[in-house]
Amino acid sequence: MKQFLMVSALALAAMGPAMAASSVDVNVKGRITPAACTPALSNAGVVDHGKISRKDLDPHNKPTALPVATLQLRVDCSAPTLIAIKSHDNRAGSSGEESIGQPNFGLGLVNGDTKVGWYLLKTANALADGVGRPMIESNDGAAWSDATHPGLVWQVNGMRALGSIAGGNVAPLPLQVMILDILVETMIVRMQYLPPVGQEFALDGSASLDVVYL
């Protein structure tokens, strides 16, 4: 058998140059959907923690958790549509988490390279056309998993949608109006990692939530 495979390989190699194609194809695919969906966030999508005194940060060399803020996301579609919401960090590379796992959303850089914190996004109270529905999530829009646990973090670049059932074998549900709460949990790094005492600096987090048609 080994001799046969070797002879076959040599024969194919000998035929290769004579049979090589002189062109390749470019295929452009997609679909135009008749529906249009418009997202909107309460408070214009702004979470403002105001001025925070350095002395109010955790004195025990731990990150400081700021008050949790809630924004409401509403998506209105012109007809029932299969959609998901995909997150994107506009300050990628600035998350100050010390964990090794996938970074969360960053709060921007100070003095060019100093990371001052990060924030988490979580979801709750999801409605599809006025009916409570379970949250589901996906990394690629093909395979979906249950995301109903209230403490489950919405990962950067992850998709979230509403499904008809919770648990296994979940899939997005066509809907015309999606409403859900987005919980924003902001953390400041340990004081030892902050810019020098006496310097005022801003928290500059920015994320995009994009409607994805499935």
Side-chain angles (χ1 to χ4, degrees), residues 21-170:
S22 59
S23 66
V24 292
D25 296 332
V26 175
N27 297 300
V28 180
K29 299 181 179 180
R31 290 179 296 171
I32 305 299
T33 175
C37 299
T38 304
L41 278 168
S42 62
N43 202 40
V46 175
V47 173
D48 188 353
H49 290 288
K51 283 201 171 184
I52 304 163
S53 173
R54 194 167 185 137
K55 69 179 180 62
D56 292 331
L57 301 180
D58 193 299
H60 304 297
N61 199 29
K62 295 179 180 179
T64 300
L66 300 184
V68 178
T70 301
L71 297 172
Q72 187 181 81
L73 172 66
R74 180 184 176 106
V75 182
D76 288 282
C77 300
S78 58
T81 310
L82 280 173
I83 61 169
I85 307 299
K86 183 174 184 177
S87 68
H88 175 76
D89 187 6
N90 298 325
R91 301 290 183 266
S94 69
S95 175
E97 290 173 279
E98 299 175 42
S99 62
I100 304 176
Q102 182 176 351
N104 281 293
F105 298 85
L107 290 176
L109 299 174
V110 177
N111 300 331
D113 59 359
T114 301
K115 300 174 181 179
V116 297
W118 69 96
Y119 60 102
L120 315 175
L121 298 184
K122 299 178 181 179
T123 54
N125 305 320
L127 300 174
D129 299 326
V131 179
R133 295 293 185 179
M135 185 67 59
I136 60 177
E137 64 181 5
S138 174
N139 292 323
D140 56 10
W144 294 86
S145 60
D146 186 278
T148 54
H149 191 284
L152 192 62
V153 175
W154 188 350
Q155 298 290 348
V156 177
N157 297 322
M159 295 183 190
R160 289 216 164 174
L162 302 188
S164 57
I165 58 172
N169 299 319
V170 296

